[in-house]
């Protein structure tokens, strides 16, 4: 499914002209429009249908990350968590229907101010009473951190709140509870929302700290098939992972907009570099793209955009349809997120810097999307922490992730070699995963190896899909840049040979850059005025012009003795 939302008035409106709260309001309006456009069913969400993935990877999401943040929690986490209980809990159906219509916004209150990645040890309590539960925040550190819970923007909100179930003074483990947070005008009794200051340079949202003061909940608030089964799970950690099962799918969904963002940045930087000129030796205009220092960032981002947009949907399809082991599915989610997000972090600043002062302004997209990107690194699990857990499990051989044959490419050889090298290191150390040696020598390699696996998979997919050789070569060179020592020591490509290899790749891709920029298929979503002189002049005409009639007094310029 494709949408034409890029031409809708809500998306053509330039948010940089609006106040901060007006921008937040616009993001909520856009989120409602997205829900109306894609018209998802509970089944679509529960089983992550093609329509669900089309929505989460719609390029329009990369234009408003605040909107995407709303939708990721609302659809992926809130509706997703409730969806699998509908058969046995038909009483949830009216709420889910309101959420699907976006009459109510769903938020997901898991982590606490004092327990970020350590969410298994949250402190919020839901104490059983004769007729329900009392939800309470015992201390400041136990307040739920960040999800947008304010009543400021005229829409009711309901939360899935994770709390420790207390029955007869006994901790029965962590469970989710449905908690009404606010009407369209005010908070519900006992629920407090403290609005946080904005994150610097990002699309604003009403991020908040949420706490509960002896809030009474009915028995039906417990998110479970059987609301009377309050037994303590025999394996609390395993039960907790089962409760937050949508997080794993969210890990795979959140990189979607960043693939589109990489493509947008490549397109903006490429078009700008083609028309931006300086005067050469003969006082004739020379495009800045004629310099190798400008060519590499643009070609790098273009190659990454083409390779990632080819790989991402295939990797998602493989994880959702072809993988039976949920551990491997989660492993693929981590590999996808780590690979896309780190590519994004390398490409975007590099291109933005080569666009000079204009690259720092909000209307030209790059500076703002770079700051927004920092949030997704943490969303649905911090990238580094996810890599640490996955890498540890792979080294302990709890399961395996299928990789391309090591003879298929340099990148697949690199990934396999790094895995083997660290497996042998672990065996030689004869240490436990939580030992000092493991912490010092193994864990620092986690992200590097997981990324290498993603590079190998993405490159293999690109080759199979027939992406042009120049694009493949530039992508390969970009990956080699991340570990030049290995390619020198193990692949026999010296530093000078790496430089020559890169030069050939750039020279091969550069003549076809206009074609490759078109193949990014992102131009309809780009509104940055620096893509052309015409676009810039049009944008300039819409800016405020200050004029006056004041005349300086001549005495202002006379020297005072």
């Amino acid at each position: 499914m494709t949408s034409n939302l890029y031409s809708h008035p809500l998306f053509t409106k330039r948010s940089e002209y609006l106040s901060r709260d007006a921008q937040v309001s616009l993001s909520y309006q856009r989120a409602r429009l997205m829900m109306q456009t894609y018209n998802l069913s509970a089944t679509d969400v529960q089983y992550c249908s093609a329509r669900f993935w089309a929505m989460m990877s719609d390029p329009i999401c990369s234009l408003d990350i605040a909107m995407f943040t709303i939708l990721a929690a609302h659809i992926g986490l809130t509706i997703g968590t409730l969806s699998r209980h509908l058969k046995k809990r038909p009483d949830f159906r009216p709420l889910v229907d309101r959420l699907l219509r976006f009459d109510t916004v769903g938020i997901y209150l898991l982590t606490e101010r004092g327990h970020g990645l350590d969410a298994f040890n949250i402190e919020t309590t839901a104490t059983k009473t004769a007729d329900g539960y009392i939800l309470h925040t015992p201390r400041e550190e136990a307040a739920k951190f960040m999800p947008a819970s304010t009543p400021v923007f005229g829409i009711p909100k309901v939360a899935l709140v994770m709390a420790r179930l207390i029955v007869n003074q006994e901790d029965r483990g962590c469970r989710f509870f449905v908690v009404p947070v606010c009407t369209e005008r005010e908070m519900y009794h006992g629920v407090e929302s403290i609005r946080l200051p904005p994150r610097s340079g990002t699309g604003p949202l009403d991020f908040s700290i949420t706490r509960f003061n002896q809030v009474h909940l009915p028995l039906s608030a417990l998110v479970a098939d059987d609301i009377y089964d309050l037994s303590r799970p025999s394996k609390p950690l395993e039960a907790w992972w089962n409760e937050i099962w949508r997080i794993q799918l969210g890990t795979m969904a959140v990189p979607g907009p960043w693939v589109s963002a990489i493509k947008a940045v490549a397109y903006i930087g490429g078009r700008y570099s083609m028309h931006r000129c300086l005067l050469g030796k003969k006082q004739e205009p020379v495009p800045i793209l004629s310099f190798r220092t400008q060519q590499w960032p643009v070609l790098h981002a273009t190659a990454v955009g083409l390779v990632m947009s080819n790989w991402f949907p295939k990797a998602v399809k493989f994880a959702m349809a072809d993988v039976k082991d949920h551990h491997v599915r989660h492993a693929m989610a981590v590999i996808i997120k780590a690979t896309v997000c780190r590519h994004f972090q390398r490409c975007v600043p590099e291109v933005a810097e080569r666009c000079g002062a204009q690259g720092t302004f909000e209307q030209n997209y790059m500076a703002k999307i770079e700051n927004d990107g920092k949030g997704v690194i943490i969303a649905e699990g911090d990238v580094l922490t996810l890599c640490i857990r996955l890498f540890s499990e792979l080294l302990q051989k709890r399961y395996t992730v299928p990789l391309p044959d090591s003879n298929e490419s340099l990148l697949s050889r690199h990934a396999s070699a790094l895995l083997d090298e660290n497996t042998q290191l672990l065996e030689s150390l004869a240490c436990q995963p939580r030992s000092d040696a493991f912490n010092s020598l193994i864990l620092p390699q986690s992200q590097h190896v997981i990324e290498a696996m993603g590079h190998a998979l993405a490159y293999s997919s690109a080759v199979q899909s027939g992406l042009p050789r120049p694009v493949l070569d530039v992508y390969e060179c970009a990956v080699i840049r991340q570990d030049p020592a290995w390619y020198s020591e193990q692949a026999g490509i010296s530093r000078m040979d790496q430089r020559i290899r890169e030069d050939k790749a750039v020279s091969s891709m550069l003549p076809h850059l206009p074609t490759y920029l078109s193949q990014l298929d992102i131009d309809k979503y780009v509104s940055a005025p620096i893509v052309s002189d015409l676009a810039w002049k049009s944008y300039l005409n819409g800016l405020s012009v200050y004029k006056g009639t004041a005349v300086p007094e001549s005495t202002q310029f006379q020297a005072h003795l």
Side-chain angles (χ1 to χ4, degrees):
M1 175 180 179
T2 58
S3 71
N4 296 320
L5 289 173
Y6 54 82
S7 62
H8 191 281
L10 284 179
F11 284 99
T12 56
K13 184 179 293 187
R14 299 207 70 102
S15 61
E16 68 267 20
Y17 294 155
L18 305 176
S19 68
R20 200 173 294 275
D21 274 5
Q23 290 182 52
V24 177
S25 178
L26 179 61
S27 293
Y28 279 106
Q29 294 173 58
R30 288 170 169 175
R32 175 180 279 112
L33 177 61
M34 286 285 283
M35 294 293 292
Q36 293 169 348
T37 300
Y38 279 90
N39 192 28
L40 299 178
S41 67
T43 303
D44 283 326
V45 179
Q46 180 180 356
Y47 296 106
C48 298
S49 69
R51 182 178 290 268
F52 169 86
W53 284 112
M55 180 176 184
M56 300 308 282
S57 58
D58 190 321
I60 206 72
C61 293
S62 66
L63 300 188
D64 188 340
I65 297 304
M67 177 201 71
F68 179 74
T69 301
I70 294 167
L71 292 174
H74 176 78
I75 303 171
L77 299 179
T78 307
I79 298 176
T81 298
L82 294 172
S83 64
R84 74 172 179 181
H85 297 287
L86 288 177
K87 285 187 178 180
K88 295 186 178 180
R89 292 291 305 276
D91 55 306
F92 280 156
R93 174 60 67 178
L95 171 59
V96 170
D97 287 343
R98 291 201 306 275
L99 293 169
L100 288 168
R101 294 193 303 268
F102 209 75
D103 292 338
T104 299
V105 168
I107 59 177
Y108 194 79
L109 298 180
L110 169 61
T111 59
E112 298 175 353
R113 209 279 296 169
H115 301 280
L117 296 174
D118 185 29
F120 178 66
N121 292 309
I122 58 163
E123 300 176 58
T124 300
T125 57
T127 304
K128 181 72 174 65
T129 64
D131 60 347
Y133 304 92
I134 298 296
L135 184 69
H136 187 63
T137 303
R139 63 183 188 130
E140 181 273 322
E141 289 84 352
K144 299 297 183 180
F145 189 79
M146 199 167 171
S149 60
T150 76
V152 178
F153 297 98
I155 188 165
K157 295 178 181 178
V158 65
L160 294 187
V161 180
M162 177 155 279
R164 310 200 76 81
L165 173 61
I166 307 298
V167 181
N168 298 325
Q169 300 184 328
E170 180 188 3
D171 185 344
R172 300 285 178 87
C174 296
R175 310 287 282 275
F176 274 119
F177 295 83
V178 176
V179 183
V181 169
C182 66
T183 69
E184 65 273 16
R185 296 181 302 277
E186 63 178 332
M187 304 299 294
Y188 283 106
H189 179 72
V191 185
E192 298 176 345
S193 177
I194 305 170
R195 188 168 178 181
L196 291 164
R199 296 188 297 178
S200 298
T202 63
L205 193 57
D206 52 326
F207 293 119
S208 315
I209 293 174
T210 312
R211 57 193 183 196
F212 306 96
N213 184 13
Q214 305 291 337
V215 177
H216 180 265
L217 301 175
L219 291 171
S220 59
L222 179 65
V223 179
D225 285 348
D226 182 357
I227 62 174
Y228 299 105
D229 181 5
L230 307 181
S231 59
R232 178 175 175 79
S234 57
K235 298 179 179 179
L237 182 58
E238 203 170 292
W240 180 76
W241 278 110
N242 184 54
E243 290 287 326
I244 63 168
W245 66 286
R246 291 297 297 198
I247 291 285
Q248 296 184 6
L249 295 173
T251 298
M252 192 154 34
V254 294
W258 309 104
V259 174
S260 297
I262 293 169
K263 296 198 295 181
V265 167
Y267 185 85
I268 294 166
R271 291 299 177 190
Y272 173 77
S273 300
M274 289 177 184
H275 77 81
R276 179 72 168 184
C277 295
L278 51 79
L279 293 179
K281 292 181 179 180
K282 297 181 180 180
Q283 295 298 298
E284 295 179 353
V286 177
I288 59 175
L289 191 62
S290 61
F291 296 95
R292 196 57 119 208
T293 49
Q294 192 76 12
Q295 294 164 6
W296 172 257
V298 170
L299 295 180
H300 174 204
T302 304
V304 168
L306 290 169
V307 171
M308 289 297 103
S309 62
N310 171 76
W311 176 57
F312 179 74
K314 294 181 179 180
V316 167
K317 182 179 181 296
F318 170 76
M320 297 302 300
D322 300 332
V323 170
K324 305 305 179 187
D325 185 342
H326 72 277
H327 292 102
V328 178
R329 178 176 296 116
H330 186 239
M332 283 300 302
V334 173
I335 293 170
I336 292 168
K337 180 175 182 181
T339 306
V340 172
C341 288
R342 295 312 187 201
H343 270 316
F344 170 90
Q345 286 189 301
R346 295 183 186 109
C347 290
V348 176
E350 195 175 37
V351 174
E353 183 178 324
R354 302 318 309 148
C355 291
Q358 297 209 55
T360 66
F361 281 86
E362 183 174 336
Q363 70 268 14
N364 289 321
Y365 186 72
M366 292 173 285
K368 184 176 179 180
I369 200 67
E370 181 183 351
N371 283 328
D372 273 320
K374 296 171 184 175
V376 82
I377 302 304
I378 300 165
E380 321 309 302
D382 175 81
V383 165
L384 178 58
T385 305
L386 290 171
C387 289
I388 287 172
R389 181 181 177 220
L390 172 56
F391 190 50
S392 299
E393 292 176 345
L394 291 176
L395 291 185
Q396 295 173 72
K397 300 181 180 179
R398 294 184 181 177
Y399 50 87
T400 58
V401 174
L403 290 175
D405 187 276
S406 59
N407 295 318
E408 182 179 301
S409 70
L410 269 175
L411 305 193
S412 58
R413 180 180 165 192
H414 178 235
S416 297
L418 291 183
L419 270 175
D420 291 343
E421 174 186 291
N422 283 278
T423 300
Q424 293 169 18
L425 176 60
L426 178 61
E427 292 174 353
S428 69
L429 293 172
C431 63
Q432 295 299 314
R434 294 186 182 273
S435 66
D436 289 342
F438 193 91
N439 177 52
S440 301
L441 296 173
I442 301 292
L443 290 192
Q445 303 301 312
S446 300
Q447 182 181 292
H448 180 55
V449 179
I450 300 306
E451 273 193 83
M453 296 170 69
H455 298 152
L457 289 165
Y459 184 85
S460 178
S461 175
V463 171
Q464 293 173 21
S465 297
L467 263 64
R469 174 49 56 184
V471 171
L472 295 174
D473 289 346
V474 169
Y475 183 79
E476 181 185 73
C477 289
V479 173
I480 290 174
R481 275 193 174 199
Q482 302 309 311
D483 193 1
W486 185 91
Y487 288 95
S488 178
E489 295 172 357
Q490 304 298 323
I493 307 173
S494 69
R495 290 171 56 249
M496 183 56 67
D497 288 340
Q498 290 177 32
R499 193 182 307 174
I500 294 171
R501 191 185 191 98
E502 188 173 294
D503 176 65
K504 290 180 178 178
V506 170
S507 296
S508 176
M509 184 174 175
L510 185 61
H512 309 288
L513 179 60
T515 299
Y516 296 142
L517 291 178
S518 297
Q519 290 174 354
L520 289 170
D521 195 24
I522 200 70
D523 56 298
K524 296 185 294 292
Y525 299 88
V526 171
S527 61
I530 60 168
V531 295
S532 70
D533 270 339
L534 181 63
W536 167 251
K537 287 178 171 59
S538 175
Y539 182 77
L540 184 63
N541 289 334
L543 298 179
S544 299
V545 178
Y546 298 90
K547 298 180 180 180
T549 59
V551 177
E553 297 178 14
S554 59
T555 56
Q556 293 178 354
F557 301 100
Q558 294 177 358
H560 294 274
L561 299 179

